[in-house]
Amino acid sequence: MTDEPRRSRRRGQGELEALVLSALREADGPVSAGWVQERLGEDLAYTTVITILTRLLAKGAVTRERAGRSFVWTPASDQAGLAAHKMRKVLDGQSDREAVLASFVTSLEPDDERLLRDLLEQARGERED
């Protein structure tokens, strides 16, 4: 047994945001920050939950609407939509889009490349309709 104070482990980048988003996805509808705080079941300050929700709002990952004097929060999309949003944001931040896309496509596994081709063909067909 040691006399050192117990230290909480430091979370990885984005881990708390992922936990908050996961809690929001499990909700039956829009929920308060207090609900999220309670749902996570951790020793998180209410202000920390508000900070994370506000950051997610700025990233377009959640929406909020006024409910009395407070807000209720909802995920903006499912996990696939959020991942697509992140990928688009990374691409938009690059000056040489062609190089980024070429590097991405050449790094795909054959099954993923085939899936991407099929999805592009499907999207092309929908635009022509």
Side-chain angles (χ1 to χ4, degrees), residues 54-124:
T54 303
R55 287 180 184 166
L56 289 169
L57 180 67
K59 293 177 180 182
V62 300
T63 61
R64 72 178 182 189
E65 59 187 66
R66 182 137 322 260
R69 295 184 346 184
S70 187
F71 291 101
V72 289
W73 305 81
T74 308
S77 62
D78 60 8
Q79 282 188 300
L82 183 58
H85 177 77
K86 288 179 183 178
M87 292 167 64
R88 179 63 188 256
K89 193 169 181 176
V90 168
L91 182 60
D92 288 346
Q94 301 301 310
S95 59
D96 191 348
R97 297 170 70 89
E98 183 176 348
V100 173
L101 287 170
S103 180
F104 175 72
V105 169
T106 58
S107 70
L108 292 174
E109 296 293 323
D111 288 344
D112 289 335
E113 183 180 342
R114 194 170 14 266
L115 177 59
L116 182 58
R117 287 181 190 279
D118 290 346
L119 290 169
L120 288 169
E121 276 298 317
Q122 182 181 359
R124 186 175 296 127

Side-chain angles (χ1 to χ4, degrees), residues 5-19:
R6 197 171 127 199
R7 293 184 183 140
S8 61
R9 80 169 181 85
R10 186 150 172 91
R11 289 182 182 86
Q13 184 177 4
E15 186 177 346
L16 190 52
E17 288 181 0
L19 289 172

